Amino acid sequence: MQLSLSYFAAEEGSAADAYRLLLEGARFADREGFTAVWTPERHFHPFGGLYPNPAVTAAALAAATDRIRIRAGSVVLPLHDPIRVAEEWAFVDNIAGGRVDVSFASGWHSRDFVLAPDDYADRRQLTEDRIAEVRRLWAGGTVTRRDGSGQDSEITVYPRPLQPELPVWLTSSGNPDTFVAAGRLGTGLLTHLLGQDLDTLAERIRLYREAYRASPLGDGGDGHVTLMLHTFLGDDVDRVRAAVRGPMSRYLRSSLHLTGLLARPGGRMPDLSRLSERDLDFLVGQAFERYFDRHGLFGTVETAAALAERLAGTGVDEIACLIDFGVPTDEVLASLPRLAELARNVAG
């Protein structure tokens, strides 16, 4: 089992403090032998909105670290021309000394698509098509585009990346079709436990592995599955619960209109417009308990190691530990040595 850090802040304080956690956390992970740092692409909302361009974020991380993998989790590919994506990430690959990986996502929130409104309906197919273009450009190939004079031009990107092939992931919110598509495309898979329990996740990973092994785009192996989990470790489970209850509850509440974080069993979402503040508080409280007990990496090194062992049994290769959900920066940084201890314990 590999451990990485992941960021997807719902910012409550100053942006400067949030980026301090990003940079200091990445430097710590770099020193301690973590696998990667994952950062997202989000637009026009406080939930994740600190990270509108993962290539810019990755360039900062590349300059601040020496060995850790720098990963986008994720580039919303239907919002962008593949030429621009390949060009930006080739630049970051040079800054990083050949350490970048990219997970691509089709996007889920229509407001993000003010950047490309005509591409929302076909976003899943566009993602697959554009992954192929990014890969071709990365490997030194060309694509044809109409230039300003109305002529077709063959375009390749500069600077040339250091890695001959771009390591690619596909992001899935739990749709089994996306798990299969990731296998068919020969990519890694980035997912989470929103709307999935461990048994469901294990079955979807099985589908992914089967498709990966059968794909001519695979590498002959089994692929790579990364699971994002909200994470905070301490010396006592009850003290950890007390430390994260307020921040995690506010984090959950900030995302009500964007995600299924309050979904009841079976994936059914309540009608938020019909709920009182008291009802919302109750539902957020339920969601917090569910996350703390079953959908997050909360507790001690020992309890986290037990969960990591269970996840390995489902087929997870890597846990991306999401650490910026509202716990004060100094407390999160002080907790990271426990996460490093966990990383050492599960590495074998």
Side-chain angles (χ1 to χ4, degrees):
M1 178 67 71
Q2 301 173 17
L3 255 63
S4 299
L5 294 187
S6 176
Y7 294 82
F8 205 115
E11 180 52 30
E12 297 176 333
S14 69
D17 195 52
Y19 295 128
R20 180 167 71 90
L21 177 58
L22 171 71
L23 293 170
E24 292 189 25
R27 292 186 185 107
F28 176 89
D30 192 50
R31 293 192 303 271
E32 294 294 328
F34 284 57
T35 297
V37 180
W38 296 84
T39 58
E41 175 180 353
R42 282 289 297 123
H43 299 282
F44 318 128
H45 196 279
F47 186 71
L50 284 171
Y51 302 105
N53 187 329
V56 174
T57 312
L61 293 175
T65 58
D66 295 315
R67 54 150 302 276
I68 199 166
R69 302 297 297 184
I70 308 297
R71 291 180 178 162
S74 310
V75 172
V76 183
L77 196 49
L79 300 182
H80 308 289
D81 190 312
I83 297 172
R84 189 61 171 160
V85 173
E87 187 179 59
E88 288 182 344
W89 284 94
F91 167 79
V92 180
D93 198 48
N94 278 269
I95 296 295
R99 292 186 285 130
V100 305
D101 312 320
V102 179
S103 189
F104 292 112
S106 61
W108 90 97
H109 199 271
S110 60
R111 185 164 56 177
D112 292 356
F113 280 78
V114 299
L115 298 172
D118 296 335
D119 291 340
Y120 183 68
D122 297 326
R123 61 193 183 278
R124 291 179 178 83
Q125 186 59 52
L126 285 170
T127 299
E128 292 198 26
D129 295 343
R130 292 179 183 181
I131 285 174
E133 283 199 337
V134 172
R135 281 172 152 170
R136 183 162 65 251
L137 288 162
W138 192 276
T142 64
V143 297
T144 302
R145 290 289 191 276
R146 185 69 56 85
D147 65 21
S149 66
Q151 302 298 311
D152 286 341
S153 296
E154 294 293 314
I155 301 298
T156 191
V157 297
Y158 299 97
R160 297 297 310 134
L162 296 184
Q163 298 180 100
E165 294 184 7
L166 174 65
V168 174
W169 269 252
L170 193 63
T171 301
S172 174
S173 61
N175 186 331
D177 292 340
T178 310
F179 279 66
V180 173
R184 176 166 42 79
L185 294 170
T187 73
L189 179 77
L190 174 63
T191 190
H192 50 64
L193 286 179
L194 221 71
Q196 304 181 90
D197 59 25
L198 293 188
D199 290 339
T200 303
L201 177 64
E203 172 59 20
R204 290 169 180 170
I205 291 175
R206 184 188 65 79
L207 296 174
Y208 163 71
R209 303 285 192 203
E210 288 181 353
Y212 191 96
R213 294 185 195 110
S215 173
L217 297 176
D219 58 7
D222 290 329
H224 187 99
V225 176
T226 302
L227 180 69
M228 184 277 290
L229 292 176
H230 294 79
T231 299
F232 188 86
L233 300 183
D235 293 327
D236 177 83
V237 173
D238 290 335
R239 285 199 289 270
V240 169
R241 187 187 299 269
V244 303
R245 180 184 296 276
M248 188 68 188
S249 296
R250 290 189 293 272
Y251 183 88
L252 292 170
R253 188 159 184 149
S254 74
S255 67
L256 296 186
H257 297 284
L258 294 178
T259 71
L261 287 168
L262 297 189
R264 299 182 176 116
R268 294 175 290 109
M269 273 293 292
D271 182 354
L272 301 179
S273 66
R274 300 170 65 90
L275 299 179
S276 66
E277 288 297 310
R278 183 176 178 179
D279 290 336
L280 283 173
D281 287 341
F282 176 75
L283 286 175
V284 168
Q286 284 188 319
F288 168 76
E289 295 298 335
R290 184 168 67 247
Y291 257 76
F292 191 90
D293 293 335
R294 300 192 297 277
H295 292 171
L297 198 66
F298 298 120
T300 65
V301 172
E302 292 73 23
T303 63
L307 177 58
E309 183 175 356
R310 290 183 63 199
L311 292 173
T314 70
V316 173
D317 300 297
E318 173 189 350
I319 301 172
C321 301
L322 196 157
I323 61 172
D324 65 334
F325 55 90
V327 176
T329 293
D330 288 336
E331 292 182 35
V332 177
L333 292 173
S335 76
L336 292 183
R338 297 183 184 90
L339 202 54
E341 181 182 350
L342 175 65
R344 291 189 293 271
N345 289 350
V346 302

PDB file of all heavy atoms in Angstrom, residues 290-325:
ATOM      1  N   ARG A 290     -20.849   8.884   9.649  1.00  0.00           N
ATOM      2  CA  ARG A 290     -20.595   7.890   8.601  1.00  0.00           C
ATOM      3  C   ARG A 290     -19.175   8.041   8.054  1.00  0.00           C
ATOM      4  O   ARG A 290     -18.459   7.050   7.869  1.00  0.00           O
ATOM      5  CB  ARG A 290     -21.623   8.057   7.485  1.00  0.00           C
ATOM      6  CG  ARG A 290     -21.524   7.017   6.370  1.00  0.00           C
ATOM      7  CD  ARG A 290     -22.734   7.077   5.464  1.00  0.00           C
ATOM      8  NE  ARG A 290     -22.811   8.318   4.699  1.00  0.00           N
ATOM      9  CZ  ARG A 290     -23.745   9.245   4.871  1.00  0.00           C
ATOM     10  NH1 ARG A 290     -24.679   9.098   5.795  1.00  0.00           N
ATOM     11  NH2 ARG A 290     -23.754  10.339   4.122  1.00  0.00           N
ATOM     12  N   TYR A 291     -18.776   9.285   7.819  1.00  0.00           N
ATOM     13  CA  TYR A 291     -17.427   9.513   7.308  1.00  0.00           C
ATOM     14  C   TYR A 291     -16.379   9.116   8.325  1.00  0.00           C
ATOM     15  O   TYR A 291     -15.371   8.483   7.979  1.00  0.00           O
ATOM     16  CB  TYR A 291     -17.260  10.980   6.904  1.00  0.00           C
ATOM     17  CG  TYR A 291     -17.324  11.140   5.405  1.00  0.00           C
ATOM     18  CD1 TYR A 291     -18.549  11.082   4.747  1.00  0.00           C
ATOM     19  CD2 TYR A 291     -16.173  11.296   4.647  1.00  0.00           C
ATOM     20  CE1 TYR A 291     -18.611  11.185   3.373  1.00  0.00           C
ATOM     21  CE2 TYR A 291     -16.239  11.400   3.270  1.00  0.00           C
ATOM     22  CZ  TYR A 291     -17.456  11.337   2.643  1.00  0.00           C
ATOM     23  OH  TYR A 291     -17.513  11.410   1.283  1.00  0.00           O
ATOM     24  N   PHE A 292     -16.601   9.491   9.565  1.00  0.00           N
ATOM     25  CA  PHE A 292     -15.593   9.199  10.579  1.00  0.00           C
ATOM     26  C   PHE A 292     -15.432   7.692  10.766  1.00  0.00           C
ATOM     27  O   PHE A 292     -14.309   7.185  10.877  1.00  0.00           O
ATOM     28  CB  PHE A 292     -15.967   9.843  11.913  1.00  0.00           C
ATOM     29  CG  PHE A 292     -14.856   9.801  12.929  1.00  0.00           C
ATOM     30  CD1 PHE A 292     -13.938  10.842  13.008  1.00  0.00           C
ATOM     31  CD2 PHE A 292     -14.709   8.723  13.789  1.00  0.00           C
ATOM     32  CE1 PHE A 292     -12.899  10.803  13.925  1.00  0.00           C
ATOM     33  CE2 PHE A 292     -13.678   8.664  14.705  1.00  0.00           C
ATOM     34  CZ  PHE A 292     -12.768   9.711  14.780  1.00  0.00           C
ATOM     35  N   ASP A 293     -16.535   6.976  10.794  1.00  0.00           N
ATOM     36  CA  ASP A 293     -16.486   5.547  11.096  1.00  0.00           C
ATOM     37  C   ASP A 293     -16.128   4.682   9.894  1.00  0.00           C
ATOM     38  O   ASP A 293     -15.477   3.642  10.046  1.00  0.00           O
ATOM     39  CB  ASP A 293     -17.833   5.081  11.659  1.00  0.00           C
ATOM     40  CG  ASP A 293     -18.130   5.674  13.030  1.00  0.00           C
ATOM     41  OD1 ASP A 293     -17.173   6.023  13.743  1.00  0.00           O
ATOM     42  OD2 ASP A 293     -19.323   5.796  13.368  1.00  0.00           O
ATOM     43  N   ARG A 294     -16.550   5.103   8.672  1.00  0.00           N
ATOM     44  CA  ARG A 294     -16.438   4.173   7.546  1.00  0.00           C
ATOM     45  C   ARG A 294     -15.809   4.751   6.282  1.00  0.00           C
ATOM     46  O   ARG A 294     -15.325   3.994   5.447  1.00  0.00           O
ATOM     47  CB  ARG A 294     -17.834   3.632   7.175  1.00  0.00           C
ATOM     48  CG  ARG A 294     -18.526   2.900   8.287  1.00  0.00           C
ATOM     49  CD  ARG A 294     -19.745   2.144   7.770  1.00  0.00           C
ATOM     50  NE  ARG A 294     -20.767   3.015   7.229  1.00  0.00           N
ATOM     51  CZ  ARG A 294     -21.688   3.640   7.965  1.00  0.00           C
ATOM     52  NH1 ARG A 294     -21.677   3.510   9.280  1.00  0.00           N
ATOM     53  NH2 ARG A 294     -22.607   4.395   7.392  1.00  0.00           N
ATOM     54  N   HIS A 295     -15.821   6.056   6.113  1.00  0.00           N
ATOM     55  CA  HIS A 295     -15.418   6.627   4.832  1.00  0.00           C
ATOM     56  C   HIS A 295     -14.214   7.550   4.930  1.00  0.00           C
ATOM     57  O   HIS A 295     -13.927   8.279   3.979  1.00  0.00           O
ATOM     58  CB  HIS A 295     -16.588   7.393   4.208  1.00  0.00           C
ATOM     59  CG  HIS A 295     -17.708   6.501   3.770  1.00  0.00           C
ATOM     60  ND1 HIS A 295     -18.930   6.985   3.353  1.00  0.00           N
ATOM     61  CD2 HIS A 295     -17.796   5.153   3.695  1.00  0.00           C
ATOM     62  CE1 HIS A 295     -19.723   5.975   3.041  1.00  0.00           C
ATOM     63  NE2 HIS A 295     -19.040   4.861   3.236  1.00  0.00           N
ATOM     64  N   GLY A 296     -13.505   7.527   6.035  1.00  0.00           N
ATOM     65  CA  GLY A 296     -12.326   8.363   6.187  1.00  0.00           C
ATOM     66  C   GLY A 296     -11.218   7.612   6.891  1.00  0.00           C
ATOM     67  O   GLY A 296     -11.424   6.524   7.455  1.00  0.00           O
ATOM     68  N   LEU A 297     -10.033   8.181   6.863  1.00  0.00           N
ATOM     69  CA  LEU A 297      -8.872   7.620   7.552  1.00  0.00           C
ATOM     70  C   LEU A 297      -8.653   8.450   8.815  1.00  0.00           C
ATOM     71  O   LEU A 297      -7.761   9.292   8.881  1.00  0.00           O
ATOM     72  CB  LEU A 297      -7.651   7.654   6.633  1.00  0.00           C
ATOM     73  CG  LEU A 297      -6.474   6.746   7.003  1.00  0.00           C
ATOM     74  CD1 LEU A 297      -6.866   5.281   6.883  1.00  0.00           C
ATOM     75  CD2 LEU A 297      -5.277   7.027   6.101  1.00  0.00           C
ATOM     76  N   PHE A 298      -9.513   8.209   9.794  1.00  0.00           N
ATOM     77  CA  PHE A 298      -9.500   8.959  11.054  1.00  0.00           C
ATOM     78  C   PHE A 298      -9.162   8.009  12.200  1.00  0.00           C
ATOM     79  O   PHE A 298      -9.587   6.845  12.201  1.00  0.00           O
ATOM     80  CB  PHE A 298     -10.858   9.598  11.324  1.00  0.00           C
ATOM     81  CG  PHE A 298     -11.289  10.605  10.293  1.00  0.00           C
ATOM     82  CD1 PHE A 298     -12.455  10.420   9.575  1.00  0.00           C
ATOM     83  CD2 PHE A 298     -10.524  11.734  10.039  1.00  0.00           C
ATOM     84  CE1 PHE A 298     -12.869  11.344   8.622  1.00  0.00           C
ATOM     85  CE2 PHE A 298     -10.922  12.666   9.093  1.00  0.00           C
ATOM     86  CZ  PHE A 298     -12.096  12.468   8.381  1.00  0.00           C
ATOM     87  N   GLY A 299      -8.437   8.531  13.192  1.00  0.00           N
ATOM     88  CA  GLY A 299      -8.145   7.717  14.368  1.00  0.00           C
ATOM     89  C   GLY A 299      -6.667   7.695  14.662  1.00  0.00           C
ATOM     90  O   GLY A 299      -5.973   8.714  14.552  1.00  0.00           O
ATOM     91  N   THR A 300      -6.162   6.519  15.035  1.00  0.00           N
ATOM     92  CA  THR A 300      -4.757   6.359  15.397  1.00  0.00           C
ATOM     93  C   THR A 300      -4.014   5.638  14.276  1.00  0.00           C
ATOM     94  O   THR A 300      -4.614   5.140  13.325  1.00  0.00           O
ATOM     95  CB  THR A 300      -4.637   5.536  16.689  1.00  0.00           C
ATOM     96  OG1 THR A 300      -5.120   4.203  16.433  1.00  0.00           O
ATOM     97  CG2 THR A 300      -5.441   6.164  17.825  1.00  0.00           C
ATOM     98  N   VAL A 301      -2.709   5.551  14.429  1.00  0.00           N
ATOM     99  CA  VAL A 301      -1.921   4.810  13.448  1.00  0.00           C
ATOM    100  C   VAL A 301      -2.395   3.363  13.382  1.00  0.00           C
ATOM    101  O   VAL A 301      -2.495   2.763  12.298  1.00  0.00           O
ATOM    102  CB  VAL A 301      -0.422   4.879  13.811  1.00  0.00           C
ATOM    103  CG1 VAL A 301       0.405   3.959  12.908  1.00  0.00           C
ATOM    104  CG2 VAL A 301       0.082   6.313  13.709  1.00  0.00           C
ATOM    105  N   GLU A 302      -2.746   2.798  14.538  1.00  0.00           N
ATOM    106  CA  GLU A 302      -3.160   1.397  14.582  1.00  0.00           C
ATOM    107  C   GLU A 302      -4.498   1.191  13.876  1.00  0.00           C
ATOM    108  O   GLU A 302      -4.658   0.246  13.081  1.00  0.00           O
ATOM    109  CB  GLU A 302      -3.249   0.925  16.036  1.00  0.00           C
ATOM    110  CG  GLU A 302      -1.927   0.824  16.766  1.00  0.00           C
ATOM    111  CD  GLU A 302      -1.329   2.168  17.138  1.00  0.00           C
ATOM    112  OE1 GLU A 302      -2.105   3.157  17.236  1.00  0.00           O
ATOM    113  OE2 GLU A 302      -0.098   2.243  17.322  1.00  0.00           O
ATOM    114  N   THR A 303      -5.488   2.048  14.144  1.00  0.00           N
ATOM    115  CA  THR A 303      -6.790   1.873  13.478  1.00  0.00           C
ATOM    116  C   THR A 303      -6.673   2.151  11.987  1.00  0.00           C
ATOM    117  O   THR A 303      -7.328   1.496  11.173  1.00  0.00           O
ATOM    118  CB  THR A 303      -7.854   2.780  14.101  1.00  0.00           C
ATOM    119  OG1 THR A 303      -7.497   4.168  13.908  1.00  0.00           O
ATOM    120  CG2 THR A 303      -8.017   2.508  15.595  1.00  0.00           C
ATOM    121  N   ALA A 304      -5.834   3.119  11.616  1.00  0.00           N
ATOM    122  CA  ALA A 304      -5.641   3.428  10.198  1.00  0.00           C
ATOM    123  C   ALA A 304      -4.950   2.272   9.477  1.00  0.00           C
ATOM    124  O   ALA A 304      -5.270   1.963   8.322  1.00  0.00           O
ATOM    125  CB  ALA A 304      -4.833   4.710  10.035  1.00  0.00           C
ATOM    126  N   ALA A 305      -4.001   1.616  10.145  1.00  0.00           N
ATOM    127  CA  ALA A 305      -3.321   0.473   9.531  1.00  0.00           C
ATOM    128  C   ALA A 305      -4.297  -0.668   9.283  1.00  0.00           C
ATOM    129  O   ALA A 305      -4.212  -1.358   8.259  1.00  0.00           O
ATOM    130  CB  ALA A 305      -2.166   0.009  10.422  1.00  0.00           C
ATOM    131  N   ALA A 306      -5.252  -0.846  10.206  1.00  0.00           N
ATOM    132  CA  ALA A 306      -6.257  -1.894  10.009  1.00  0.00           C
ATOM    133  C   ALA A 306      -7.127  -1.591   8.797  1.00  0.00           C
ATOM    134  O   ALA A 306      -7.458  -2.488   8.005  1.00  0.00           O
ATOM    135  CB  ALA A 306      -7.106  -2.034  11.270  1.00  0.00           C
ATOM    136  N   LEU A 307      -7.514  -0.315   8.627  1.00  0.00           N
ATOM    137  CA  LEU A 307      -8.313   0.051   7.464  1.00  0.00           C
ATOM    138  C   LEU A 307      -7.492  -0.097   6.185  1.00  0.00           C
ATOM    139  O   LEU A 307      -8.004  -0.584   5.160  1.00  0.00           O
ATOM    140  CB  LEU A 307      -8.819   1.487   7.595  1.00  0.00           C
ATOM    141  CG  LEU A 307      -9.618   2.013   6.401  1.00  0.00           C
ATOM    142  CD1 LEU A 307     -10.834   1.137   6.118  1.00  0.00           C
ATOM    143  CD2 LEU A 307     -10.041   3.470   6.622  1.00  0.00           C
ATOM    144  N   ALA A 308      -6.231   0.289   6.231  1.00  0.00           N
ATOM    145  CA  ALA A 308      -5.378   0.148   5.043  1.00  0.00           C
ATOM    146  C   ALA A 308      -5.285  -1.309   4.625  1.00  0.00           C
ATOM    147  O   ALA A 308      -5.287  -1.628   3.424  1.00  0.00           O
ATOM    148  CB  ALA A 308      -3.988   0.716   5.325  1.00  0.00           C
ATOM    149  N   GLU A 309      -5.226  -2.224   5.595  1.00  0.00           N
ATOM    150  CA  GLU A 309      -5.176  -3.648   5.274  1.00  0.00           C
ATOM    151  C   GLU A 309      -6.477  -4.094   4.608  1.00  0.00           C
ATOM    152  O   GLU A 309      -6.459  -4.860   3.636  1.00  0.00           O
ATOM    153  CB  GLU A 309      -4.930  -4.459   6.539  1.00  0.00           C
ATOM    154  CG  GLU A 309      -4.781  -5.946   6.291  1.00  0.00           C
ATOM    155  CD  GLU A 309      -4.424  -6.720   7.552  1.00  0.00           C
ATOM    156  OE1 GLU A 309      -4.222  -6.088   8.609  1.00  0.00           O
ATOM    157  OE2 GLU A 309      -4.358  -7.961   7.484  1.00  0.00           O
ATOM    158  N   ARG A 310      -7.619  -3.598   5.115  1.00  0.00           N
ATOM    159  CA  ARG A 310      -8.902  -3.929   4.482  1.00  0.00           C
ATOM    160  C   ARG A 310      -8.954  -3.390   3.057  1.00  0.00           C
ATOM    161  O   ARG A 310      -9.433  -4.064   2.142  1.00  0.00           O
ATOM    162  CB  ARG A 310     -10.056  -3.352   5.300  1.00  0.00           C
ATOM    163  CG  ARG A 310     -10.307  -4.019   6.642  1.00  0.00           C
ATOM    164  CD  ARG A 310     -11.511  -3.406   7.319  1.00  0.00           C
ATOM    165  NE  ARG A 310     -12.723  -3.628   6.535  1.00  0.00           N
ATOM    166  CZ  ARG A 310     -13.837  -2.909   6.690  1.00  0.00           C
ATOM    167  NH1 ARG A 310     -13.864  -1.901   7.563  1.00  0.00           N
ATOM    168  NH2 ARG A 310     -14.899  -3.189   5.963  1.00  0.00           N
ATOM    169  N   LEU A 311      -8.477  -2.176   2.858  1.00  0.00           N
ATOM    170  CA  LEU A 311      -8.504  -1.580   1.526  1.00  0.00           C
ATOM    171  C   LEU A 311      -7.606  -2.353   0.557  1.00  0.00           C
ATOM    172  O   LEU A 311      -7.951  -2.528  -0.609  1.00  0.00           O
ATOM    173  CB  LEU A 311      -8.078  -0.118   1.597  1.00  0.00           C
ATOM    174  CG  LEU A 311      -9.049   0.813   2.328  1.00  0.00           C
ATOM    175  CD1 LEU A 311      -8.435   2.195   2.489  1.00  0.00           C
ATOM    176  CD2 LEU A 311     -10.379   0.899   1.589  1.00  0.00           C
ATOM    177  N   ALA A 312      -6.468  -2.806   1.049  1.00  0.00           N
ATOM    178  CA  ALA A 312      -5.604  -3.621   0.202  1.00  0.00           C
ATOM    179  C   ALA A 312      -6.341  -4.875  -0.251  1.00  0.00           C
ATOM    180  O   ALA A 312      -6.179  -5.325  -1.395  1.00  0.00           O
ATOM    181  CB  ALA A 312      -4.330  -3.983   0.950  1.00  0.00           C
ATOM    182  N   GLY A 313      -7.178  -5.416   0.629  1.00  0.00           N
ATOM    183  CA  GLY A 313      -7.958  -6.594   0.268  1.00  0.00           C
ATOM    184  C   GLY A 313      -8.991  -6.334  -0.807  1.00  0.00           C
ATOM    185  O   GLY A 313      -9.386  -7.252  -1.531  1.00  0.00           O
ATOM    186  N   THR A 314      -9.428  -5.088  -0.949  1.00  0.00           N
ATOM    187  CA  THR A 314     -10.380  -4.741  -2.012  1.00  0.00           C
ATOM    188  C   THR A 314      -9.684  -4.476  -3.341  1.00  0.00           C
ATOM    189  O   THR A 314     -10.356  -4.376  -4.372  1.00  0.00           O
ATOM    190  CB  THR A 314     -11.195  -3.485  -1.649  1.00  0.00           C
ATOM    191  OG1 THR A 314     -10.351  -2.331  -1.688  1.00  0.00           O
ATOM    192  CG2 THR A 314     -11.852  -3.615  -0.280  1.00  0.00           C
ATOM    193  N   GLY A 315      -8.358  -4.327  -3.315  1.00  0.00           N
ATOM    194  CA  GLY A 315      -7.618  -4.052  -4.541  1.00  0.00           C
ATOM    195  C   GLY A 315      -7.054  -2.650  -4.630  1.00  0.00           C
ATOM    196  O   GLY A 315      -6.492  -2.280  -5.669  1.00  0.00           O
ATOM    197  N   VAL A 316      -7.167  -1.851  -3.573  1.00  0.00           N
ATOM    198  CA  VAL A 316      -6.608  -0.502  -3.581  1.00  0.00           C
ATOM    199  C   VAL A 316      -5.089  -0.578  -3.476  1.00  0.00           C
ATOM    200  O   VAL A 316      -4.540  -1.301  -2.646  1.00  0.00           O
ATOM    201  CB  VAL A 316      -7.186   0.332  -2.418  1.00  0.00           C
ATOM    202  CG1 VAL A 316      -6.478   1.693  -2.306  1.00  0.00           C
ATOM    203  CG2 VAL A 316      -8.690   0.525  -2.604  1.00  0.00           C
ATOM    204  N   ASP A 317      -4.399   0.177  -4.331  1.00  0.00           N
ATOM    205  CA  ASP A 317      -2.936   0.220  -4.331  1.00  0.00           C
ATOM    206  C   ASP A 317      -2.380   1.412  -3.558  1.00  0.00           C
ATOM    207  O   ASP A 317      -1.233   1.367  -3.101  1.00  0.00           O
ATOM    208  CB  ASP A 317      -2.406   0.311  -5.770  1.00  0.00           C
ATOM    209  CG  ASP A 317      -2.830  -0.870  -6.615  1.00  0.00           C
ATOM    210  OD1 ASP A 317      -2.428  -2.002  -6.296  1.00  0.00           O
ATOM    211  OD2 ASP A 317      -3.577  -0.666  -7.593  1.00  0.00           O
ATOM    212  N   GLU A 318      -3.163   2.472  -3.454  1.00  0.00           N
ATOM    213  CA  GLU A 318      -2.653   3.738  -2.914  1.00  0.00           C
ATOM    214  C   GLU A 318      -3.791   4.496  -2.243  1.00  0.00           C
ATOM    215  O   GLU A 318      -4.907   4.551  -2.769  1.00  0.00           O
ATOM    216  CB  GLU A 318      -2.071   4.580  -4.048  1.00  0.00           C
ATOM    217  CG  GLU A 318      -1.640   5.987  -3.689  1.00  0.00           C
ATOM    218  CD  GLU A 318      -1.291   6.818  -4.921  1.00  0.00           C
ATOM    219  OE1 GLU A 318      -1.206   6.254  -6.033  1.00  0.00           O
ATOM    220  OE2 GLU A 318      -1.131   8.051  -4.764  1.00  0.00           O
ATOM    221  N   ILE A 319      -3.512   5.062  -1.076  1.00  0.00           N
ATOM    222  CA  ILE A 319      -4.456   5.948  -0.401  1.00  0.00           C
ATOM    223  C   ILE A 319      -3.961   7.376  -0.572  1.00  0.00           C
ATOM    224  O   ILE A 319      -2.827   7.699  -0.199  1.00  0.00           O
ATOM    225  CB  ILE A 319      -4.591   5.618   1.090  1.00  0.00           C
ATOM    226  CG1 ILE A 319      -5.068   4.178   1.293  1.00  0.00           C
ATOM    227  CG2 ILE A 319      -5.566   6.593   1.765  1.00  0.00           C
ATOM    228  CD1 ILE A 319      -5.039   3.715   2.737  1.00  0.00           C
ATOM    229  N   ALA A 320      -4.802   8.225  -1.155  1.00  0.00           N
ATOM    230  CA  ALA A 320      -4.510   9.656  -1.267  1.00  0.00           C
ATOM    231  C   ALA A 320      -5.177  10.343  -0.087  1.00  0.00           C
ATOM    232  O   ALA A 320      -6.404  10.468  -0.035  1.00  0.00           O
ATOM    233  CB  ALA A 320      -5.027  10.205  -2.588  1.00  0.00           C
ATOM    234  N   CYS A 321      -4.378  10.759   0.884  1.00  0.00           N
ATOM    235  CA  CYS A 321      -4.881  11.268   2.163  1.00  0.00           C
ATOM    236  C   CYS A 321      -5.232  12.743   2.035  1.00  0.00           C
ATOM    237  O   CYS A 321      -4.344  13.604   1.952  1.00  0.00           O
ATOM    238  CB  CYS A 321      -3.824  11.075   3.245  1.00  0.00           C
ATOM    239  SG  CYS A 321      -3.335   9.345   3.483  1.00  0.00           S
ATOM    240  N   LEU A 322      -6.527  13.051   2.010  1.00  0.00           N
ATOM    241  CA  LEU A 322      -6.982  14.430   1.878  1.00  0.00           C
ATOM    242  C   LEU A 322      -6.920  15.087   3.254  1.00  0.00           C
ATOM    243  O   LEU A 322      -7.652  14.707   4.170  1.00  0.00           O
ATOM    244  CB  LEU A 322      -8.403  14.472   1.319  1.00  0.00           C
ATOM    245  CG  LEU A 322      -8.883  15.824   0.781  1.00  0.00           C
ATOM    246  CD1 LEU A 322     -10.014  15.635  -0.223  1.00  0.00           C
ATOM    247  CD2 LEU A 322      -9.345  16.760   1.895  1.00  0.00           C
ATOM    248  N   ILE A 323      -6.052  16.079   3.397  1.00  0.00           N
ATOM    249  CA  ILE A 323      -5.755  16.619   4.727  1.00  0.00           C
ATOM    250  C   ILE A 323      -6.243  18.052   4.932  1.00  0.00           C
ATOM    251  O   ILE A 323      -6.157  18.569   6.046  1.00  0.00           O
ATOM    252  CB  ILE A 323      -4.234  16.571   5.011  1.00  0.00           C
ATOM    253  CG1 ILE A 323      -3.456  17.404   3.991  1.00  0.00           C
ATOM    254  CG2 ILE A 323      -3.737  15.129   5.026  1.00  0.00           C
ATOM    255  CD1 ILE A 323      -1.969  17.547   4.321  1.00  0.00           C
ATOM    256  N   ASP A 324      -6.790  18.713   3.898  1.00  0.00           N
ATOM    257  CA  ASP A 324      -7.107  20.149   4.043  1.00  0.00           C
ATOM    258  C   ASP A 324      -8.614  20.388   4.058  1.00  0.00           C
ATOM    259  O   ASP A 324      -9.139  21.148   3.253  1.00  0.00           O
ATOM    260  CB  ASP A 324      -6.427  20.969   2.943  1.00  0.00           C
ATOM    261  CG  ASP A 324      -6.949  20.634   1.550  1.00  0.00           C
ATOM    262  OD1 ASP A 324      -7.432  19.511   1.350  1.00  0.00           O
ATOM    263  OD2 ASP A 324      -6.877  21.506   0.665  1.00  0.00           O
ATOM    264  N   PHE A 325      -9.309  19.785   5.017  1.00  0.00           N
ATOM    265  CA  PHE A 325     -10.753  19.953   5.092  1.00  0.00           C
ATOM    266  C   PHE A 325     -11.188  20.859   6.238  1.00  0.00           C
ATOM    267  O   PHE A 325     -12.350  20.850   6.634  1.00  0.00           O
ATOM    268  CB  PHE A 325     -11.449  18.587   5.203  1.00  0.00           C
ATOM    269  CG  PHE A 325     -10.953  17.732   6.349  1.00  0.00           C
ATOM    270  CD1 PHE A 325     -11.540  17.808   7.598  1.00  0.00           C
ATOM    271  CD2 PHE A 325      -9.895  16.861   6.161  1.00  0.00           C
ATOM    272  CE1 PHE A 325     -11.084  17.038   8.651  1.00  0.00           C
ATOM    273  CE2 PHE A 325      -9.438  16.070   7.205  1.00  0.00           C
ATOM    274  CZ  PHE A 325     -10.032  16.155   8.452  1.00  0.00           C
TER     275      PHE A 325
END
